[in-house]
Amino acid sequence: MSNSYRGPLAQLVEQRTFNPLVDGSNPSRPTKSYNVDMDIDIPTFSKTLQQRQAQGLFDTLPGIRRGIEKEALRVLPDGTLSRTPHPYALGSSLTHPHITTDYSESLLEFISTPWTSVRGLLQELHHIEQFTHSVLQSQAETLWATSMPCRLPNNPVDIPIAQYGNAYPGRIKTIYRQGLGLRYGRKMQTIAGLHYNFSFPDTFWMNYQATSGQTQATLPEFISDQYFHLIRNVLRWRWLLPLWFGASPAVDSSFLAPDCQPDSLVPHLAPVSARGQANHTWISPYATSLRLSPLGYHNTNARIEHGISYNTLPDFLSDLRKAVTTVSPEFSAIGVLSNGEYLQLNDTCLQIENEFYGIIRPKNTLAPQERLLHALKTRGVGYIELRALDLNPFEPNGISSQHLHLLDVFLTTCLLLDSPLLSHSEEALSHADYQTIVIEGRKKNLRFAGNTTGKSASVQERSTKFLDALRAVAEQFDQALQTQNHIQAIEMASQQIQNPQENSLCAEVFESYAQHRNNHIDFGQYISQERANYFLKQPLSKPIQADFEAMATRSFSKQQVLETEYQPPFAEYLHNYLKNI
């Protein structure tokens, strides 16, 4: 992305500058770029899919596991942030399996079980939200339905950091968030999104390894290598994600730094909101997702954001380890302790691995107090987490089943297509394409400045062969699952690409803004209340309601056990936790 975007927008949010001593360069990485536009051979790809089908690979697709982590702010009826503690009736935010908090006490996070069924996944999220809304109703609160936040307090210190009790794991979580607030500003941490966790079943991987002829590696090694293969292609085609999932073109001025007049945003037209308040909505006219822009949720230094390699698991581990162990002069100036209280976990470029805000991350299930670096090193990649998804304000669960089918096909296609290692130049070009769509994706006749061939291309030209590949994979999904859901999802995605000015999700958001006086708060209040009414009109059955109440009770019992266990001095505990990489 050009500095003309990064400069003005990066100054809008109340945050610090990031200037770590991390060099993401690696002389062993390739310098030759892969021409992503031209090197998809559809006839050959289709023939390969037919061979895979005959070998039984696609018979394993029903075993794909998927999960969702969804964030949403608790808000008051006037569209301002609720500052009350995490509701007791929801259970312990430290130990509850499905309902917790993210950065703030006000930012709820719902965590699903991994499901092999899209329908089952959305049904579980539906139940979680039904229970949550029934609790919030007694506090006259709703959940904010959009990714960019509600009206925020004038003083960022009034955004309450999440509290997890006195148990050492909870203290670490709170101190980590204290550090994030000092490093990036608390306002940035109020942005909400949806993360998609995805994994292929072991039967898929065993078939894929055997038929690929790559039997010299152990199965975990093969799986890790192939997940990085998938990730590299996601990065090549990341620019499609804001076209499909972007839904955050506007922001309330309370999110921006005081007295800011950003030249990349323009004020909406309505001078007064429906509630008689001055209009403080700012919009990026052609944007698809301000959440994914430099104004949104990201690491503020390109060496972290782009300097961590996705070429191999060893490269990724080496770069990430460097980021969590190298002292940052900027963050060191903040200090770690003040009057005996921790300001942050440490003064390294990333406090812990979670602070790396890449749009996609390799993951594995963690044991209690285990670090991601340790899990990936010892057990390899277990699943991938896709993070570039805005909340869909028109869907009760924040995402539709059709978009989930699209994600399944997209990720599988990224695995099955060729995926050479990423050069520095290709990474830079693909990120520039991505930011072009983030900021200007709805502009008519938009063209990318140039790919690896140096030739400009339209969005439609750039996507033609990849869409053909998606259709071919969607047909395999539909045949394996006996549906037409996947090819229908690809046709929807194609329409969004062909005419993003009218067919994209963000275009629908723009149209709805116009019905609410072009005011971000008015739109958010209306759609959030509609969502709350939807869930409240469908109360949980008594058995499911009882299950959630029992879950909340058990979560407090688990927290109490943690808080009464003997522990060494906290400084020693923290030291041991941080070194376990």
Side-chain angles (χ1 to χ4, degrees):
M1 184 172 184
S2 68
N3 289 333
S4 62
Y5 286 134
R6 182 169 294 280
L9 287 177
Q11 298 170 10
L12 303 183
V13 188
E14 181 265 327
Q15 61 187 17
R16 292 178 179 268
T17 304
F18 195 14
N19 184 27
L21 295 176
V22 172
D23 182 4
S25 64
N26 185 334
S28 68
R29 295 179 195 167
T31 57
K32 183 179 179 181
S33 292
Y34 172 62
N35 187 354
V36 70
D37 300 337
M38 303 300 294
D39 288 355
I40 298 178
D41 184 337
I42 294 300
T44 300
F45 183 65
S46 297
K47 184 177 180 180
T48 300
L49 293 184
Q50 291 171 5
Q51 293 172 342
R52 295 291 187 190
Q53 181 188 39
Q55 294 161 344
L57 180 67
F58 300 121
D59 294 338
T60 67
L61 292 179
I64 284 175
R65 291 162 68 85
R66 52 188 71 77
I68 285 176
E69 302 166 36
K70 178 191 172 185
E71 303 154 347
L73 287 169
R74 291 188 291 115
V75 298
L76 299 175
D78 62 356
T80 58
L81 185 72
S82 170
R83 305 183 209 174
T84 59
H86 182 66
Y88 183 85
L90 294 180
S92 164
S93 57
L94 178 64
T95 57
H96 196 289
H98 298 301
I99 304 173
T100 183
T101 52
D102 192 82
Y103 173 77
S104 171
E105 282 287 273
S106 312
L107 184 58
L108 292 184
E109 181 176 6
F110 303 140
I111 304 171
S112 78
T113 306
W115 284 84
T116 58
S117 161
V118 167
R119 181 177 180 181
L121 170 61
L122 292 178
Q123 185 65 58
E124 182 182 52
L125 280 177
H126 190 92
H127 288 159
I128 294 171
E129 290 228 28
Q130 283 176 292
F131 178 71
T132 301
H133 279 284
S134 70
V135 170
L136 297 185
Q137 183 185 32
S138 64
Q139 301 183 185
E141 295 178 354
T142 57
L143 293 179
W144 196 247
T146 71
S147 282
M148 297 309 284
C150 62
R151 184 164 289 126
L152 298 175
N154 292 330
N155 189 344
V157 175
D158 292 330
I159 298 171
I161 293 175
Q163 303 295 315
Y164 299 96
N166 295 321
Y168 283 2
R171 288 186 62 184
I172 285 178
K173 289 168 71 75
T174 295
I175 294 167
Y176 167 62
R177 284 154 175 77
Q178 175 76 19
L180 294 179
L182 294 171
R183 291 171 175 228
Y184 304 100
R186 296 192 185 190
K187 290 184 177 181
M188 188 187 91
Q189 305 294 332
T190 63
I191 298 173
L194 188 144
H195 301 168
Y196 191 58
N197 299 320
F198 176 93
S199 66
F200 294 99
D202 287 344
T203 51
F204 176 95
W205 289 122
M206 289 186 287
N207 181 300
Y208 197 45
Q209 183 182 30
T211 56
S212 298
Q214 300 183 44
T215 55
Q216 68 279 11
T218 66
L219 184 61
E221 290 171 342
F222 176 79
I223 292 171
S224 293
D225 179 70
Q226 292 303 308
Y227 273 127
F228 274 89
H229 176 117
L230 181 160
I231 288 171
R232 292 194 299 272
N233 272 340
V234 168
L235 295 179
R236 289 183 171 101
W237 295 100
R238 75 186 97 173
W239 61 267
L240 287 165
L241 296 172
L243 272 181
W244 292 333
F245 297 93
S248 54
V251 64
D252 186 71
S253 63
S254 63
F255 179 77
L256 308 178
D259 302 320
C260 179
Q261 298 291 324
D263 56 12
S264 298
L265 304 176
V266 296
H268 264 301
L269 300 177
V272 177
S273 74
R275 295 176 178 270
Q277 299 165 325
N279 187 339
H280 296 292
T281 297
W282 290 81
I283 189 167
S284 187
Y286 303 108
T288 55
S289 176
L290 291 181
R291 172 178 167 269
L292 299 176
S293 76
L295 180 64
Y297 206 85
H298 70 296
N299 295 110
T300 55
N301 182 272
R303 287 174 135 186
I304 290 296
E305 197 167 16
H306 312 300
I308 294 180
S309 172
Y310 286 105
N311 277 332
T312 67
L313 177 57
D315 277 349
F316 179 83
L317 292 175
S318 175
D319 288 346
L320 190 57
R321 186 180 189 279
K322 194 180 298 183
V324 299
T325 57
T326 302
V327 171
S328 161
E330 178 76 15
F331 297 158
S332 184
I334 296 173
V336 175
L337 281 165
S338 176
N339 297 322
E341 297 293 328
Y342 281 88
L343 302 177
Q344 52 185 340
L345 292 176
N346 52 43
D347 56 2
T348 54
C349 299
L350 300 177
Q351 296 174 87
I352 55 177
E353 299 89 322
N354 287 358
E355 195 175 326
F356 173 49
Y357 299 142
I359 68 163
I360 186 169
R361 301 192 295 200
K363 302 291 286 288
N364 206 323
T365 304
L366 303 183
Q369 300 313 298
E370 185 181 26
R371 297 283 295 274
L372 177 63
L373 281 166
H374 182 269
L376 293 176
K377 174 72 173 177
T378 56
R379 301 192 298 280
V381 183
Y383 64 95
I384 57 99
E385 177 193 37
L386 186 63
R387 300 161 51 83
L389 309 175
D390 285 359
L391 296 177
N392 182 338
F394 308 113
E395 289 291 333
N397 290 313
I399 193 168
S400 68
S401 60
Q402 195 168 47
H403 270 116
L404 291 179
H405 295 312
L406 170 61
L407 284 174
D408 289 348
V409 175
F410 173 74
L411 293 171
T412 304
T413 303
C414 285
L415 173 71
L416 297 175
L417 284 171
D418 289 342
S419 182
L421 300 184
L422 274 169
S423 67
H424 291 299
S425 59
E426 187 187 358
E427 157 62 23
L429 287 168
S430 65
H431 181 75
D433 291 344
Y434 171 69
Q435 286 297 330
T436 294
I437 297 299
V438 163
I439 301 297
E440 298 183 300
R442 294 183 62 256
K443 182 178 286 186
K444 191 173 183 179
N445 300 322
L446 176 67
R447 298 184 71 83
F448 294 110
N451 58 14
T452 54
T453 66
K455 297 179 180 179
S456 68
S458 69
V459 170
Q460 294 74 27
E461 292 167 342
R462 181 71 66 85
S463 61
T464 299
K465 289 188 176 182
F466 189 69
L467 278 171
D468 288 341
L470 290 174
R471 289 188 182 95
V473 174
E475 290 174 358
Q476 298 296 336
F477 265 90
D478 282 342
Q479 185 169 336
L481 278 74
Q482 295 297 297
T483 72
Q484 293 185 329
N485 293 333
H486 300 84
I487 195 66
Q488 290 172 357
I490 302 308
E491 292 312 311
M492 170 201 69
S494 176
Q495 292 172 16
Q496 290 179 307
I497 292 170
Q498 295 306 316
N499 187 1
Q501 297 81 29
E502 296 182 6
N503 296 333
S504 64
L505 175 58
C506 199
E508 187 177 358
V509 173
F510 266 98
E511 184 178 349
S512 294
Y513 266 108
Q515 299 170 15
H516 297 280
R517 301 172 60 85
N518 292 322
N519 187 288
H520 176 69
I521 300 301
D522 280 359
F523 170 75
Q525 286 175 287
Y526 173 82
I527 205 76
S528 300
Q529 189 59 58
E530 287 287 297
R531 177 83 54 79
N533 293 340
Y534 169 82
F535 284 111
L536 291 171
K537 288 177 182 177
Q538 304 176 61
L540 286 169
S541 67
K542 290 184 178 180
I544 296 178
Q545 177 75 20
D547 284 346
F548 274 100
E549 292 172 354
M551 243 186 288
T553 300
R554 288 194 300 270
S555 71
F556 285 119
S557 297
K558 290 179 182 179
Q559 179 169 345
Q560 185 177 20
V561 169
L562 290 174
E563 292 183 345
T564 55
E565 286 180 343
Y566 169 77
Q567 297 287 2
F570 180 73
E572 179 183 341
Y573 181 91
L574 177 60
H575 172 76
N576 291 334
Y577 172 76
L578 292 176
K579 75 176 185 180
N580 185 26
I581 56 173

